[in-house]
Amino acid sequence: MANLRGSSFDKQIKDAVHRIAKLGTSRHNKSVNGFVSINRLNQAKTMLNKFANYLRNEGITSGKLNEYLSNQAIVRNFAETHILNENYAPSTVQEYASLFAKTLENLAENNVSIHKEVIEYAKELYNEAKQNFNADSYDTGRYVSELNNKLDALYEKNFASAVIAEVQASLGFRISEAHELVKNFQDYYNPQTNTVEHIIGKGNHEYQPKEISYDLVQKIEALHQNHAHIPSQNAYREDLKDIGIPKSHDLRITYAKNLYDHLKDRGYTEREALKEVSKELNHHRIEVTRYYLARA
């Protein structure tokens, strides 16, 4: 895998667009990846320019553009401010998220060095953009009933996928965050407090430490001791579908609903419960949490 050519971001963007254009046209002038039109190429160029300008504003200019596109912390922060922007229309958010994911994927297809984990994150970003920013047409009934039975079935099918699902269901993480925790558990687990710490969510915001059950710790450690294969996020999604969970985000929604109901049963007011669930989900606006609960 190679870096983009050029001594400046502008030259590297020119190289990137040239590579995407070559991918986008077949002998019969048919699109093979959605970038065959001049308009789509210009949109890809605009997105890469947005990213380059973000880097310049952050004072990050010494490396190659594709190296920064492979840095998940940088990409997450860029996405929070330039893609998942509350001032954008839902259709714009979805378009930007789709375009960003496709751009990364196409560059990787043309031998440009882009980490697979970042491409997976960009795809998940697009999936979340479709789910979380279209409140006028969101789907309800996302609560996972008979969760324990479904997890048992998943443990029979694929132990590693079941561990990731249990992390999502018991800790409320997004798919990318749960996958990162399971994959690099020792980086986040504090055995003195029996908590997972320093998990980074959207917008580079860190979760507060979360207590994790001893049983789940044992399962995650068993994966690593046995050198088990950790499935990709896409493979994990397919495993969930096989046991009757259509979308990975359903587990996060289920976690939110269960926690909210538990707090209400303990005597919390609605606003107190919403604030606590928001904190656990790493949300910074309780309106987003209300939206989650409305979909359960």
Side-chain angles (χ1 to χ4, degrees):
M1 302 295 279
N3 287 323
L4 290 169
R5 297 173 183 172
S7 57
S8 68
F9 285 163
D10 289 340
K11 290 180 180 179
Q12 292 163 33
I13 290 171
K14 185 176 181 180
D15 181 40
V17 173
H18 176 69
R19 291 168 184 262
I20 292 171
K22 286 199 303 182
L23 273 175
T25 306
S26 70
R27 286 188 306 164
H28 303 291
N29 198 36
K30 292 182 179 179
S31 172
V32 295
N33 60 21
F35 281 107
V36 69
S37 72
I38 296 298
N39 183 49
R40 290 291 279 174
L41 282 172
N42 285 337
Q43 288 176 326
K45 182 178 180 180
T46 297
M47 179 58 68
L48 289 171
N49 273 316
K50 275 180 175 286
F51 186 74
N53 287 335
Y54 162 76
L55 294 175
R56 293 186 184 104
N57 290 336
E58 295 292 318
I60 306 171
T61 58
S62 59
K64 290 287 188 179
L65 192 65
N66 59 283
E67 292 174 344
Y68 298 126
L69 285 168
S70 289
N71 185 311
Q72 192 161 104
I74 290 176
V75 168
R76 281 176 180 272
N77 201 45
F78 166 75
E80 179 72 14
T81 54
H82 291 75
I83 296 177
L84 304 178
N85 190 311
E86 295 173 6
N87 295 320
Y88 293 159
S91 58
T92 301
V93 172
Q94 292 179 36
E95 176 69 14
Y96 280 178
S98 173
L99 183 60
F100 188 59
K102 181 63 73 174
T103 300
L104 296 183
E105 194 172 20
N106 290 162
L107 289 174
E109 288 173 4
N110 210 323
N111 205 37
V112 175
S113 180
I114 304 287
H115 288 178
K116 291 181 179 179
E117 291 83 0
V118 176
I119 295 174
E120 290 290 336
Y121 166 72
K123 291 178 180 178
E124 177 64 18
L125 190 74
Y126 172 57
N127 289 331
E128 289 201 30
K130 289 193 296 183
Q131 294 175 15
N132 294 344
F133 285 83
N134 194 5
D136 291 335
S137 60
Y138 62 76
D139 51 338
T140 58
R142 301 284 298 277
Y143 184 85
V144 179
S145 59
E146 299 182 356
L147 176 60
N148 289 335
N149 290 339
K150 289 174 180 175
L151 287 177
D152 287 344
L154 188 54
Y155 272 111
E156 290 291 327
K157 173 181 172 59
N158 187 317
F159 188 88
S161 284
V163 170
I164 297 172
E166 189 171 345
V167 166
Q168 281 201 272
S170 63
L171 299 177
F173 290 135
R174 298 176 180 88
I175 180 176
S176 56
E177 299 153 1
H179 193 271
E180 169 65 16
L181 174 63
V182 172
K183 186 176 180 181
N184 298 295
F185 186 61
Q186 294 306 318
D187 293 343
Y188 302 103
Y189 178 56
N190 184 338
Q192 278 72 43
T193 58
N194 200 42
T195 55
V196 291
E197 304 173 355
H198 309 304
I199 298 291
I200 304 299
K202 278 186 177 179
N204 212 27
H205 298 304
E206 185 175 316
Y207 280 83
Q208 65 178 9
K210 284 176 172 280
E211 186 173 350
I212 183 171
S213 72
Y214 177 75
D215 180 62
L216 186 51
V217 170
Q218 293 293 99
K219 290 173 181 175
I220 297 173
E221 290 181 339
L223 283 178
H224 291 279
Q225 290 166 1
N226 295 325
H227 305 288
H229 171 70
I230 307 297
S232 69
Q233 292 180 35
N234 283 337
Y236 166 65
R237 288 191 192 93
E238 292 304 313
D239 285 342
L240 289 183
K241 290 177 183 176
D242 287 346
I243 60 157
I245 301 177
K247 298 177 181 178
S248 65
H249 220 65
D250 294 353
L251 293 169
R252 182 167 158 92
I253 291 170
T254 301
Y255 168 86
K257 175 64 173 170
N258 287 340
L259 179 57
Y260 177 80
D261 289 347
H262 172 70
L263 294 172
K264 289 286 288 179
D265 288 343
R266 288 179 56 191
Y268 280 57
T269 66
E270 180 184 8
R271 186 163 186 83
E272 287 171 343
L274 283 170
K275 287 179 68 175
E276 186 64 25
V277 175
S278 292
K279 185 168 63 175
E280 290 295 328
L281 292 175
N282 207 23
H283 287 160
H284 292 267
R285 294 184 300 114
I286 64 172
E287 289 78 9
V288 178
T289 304
R290 286 185 193 275
Y291 172 52
Y292 268 55
L293 294 173
R295 300 163 73 194

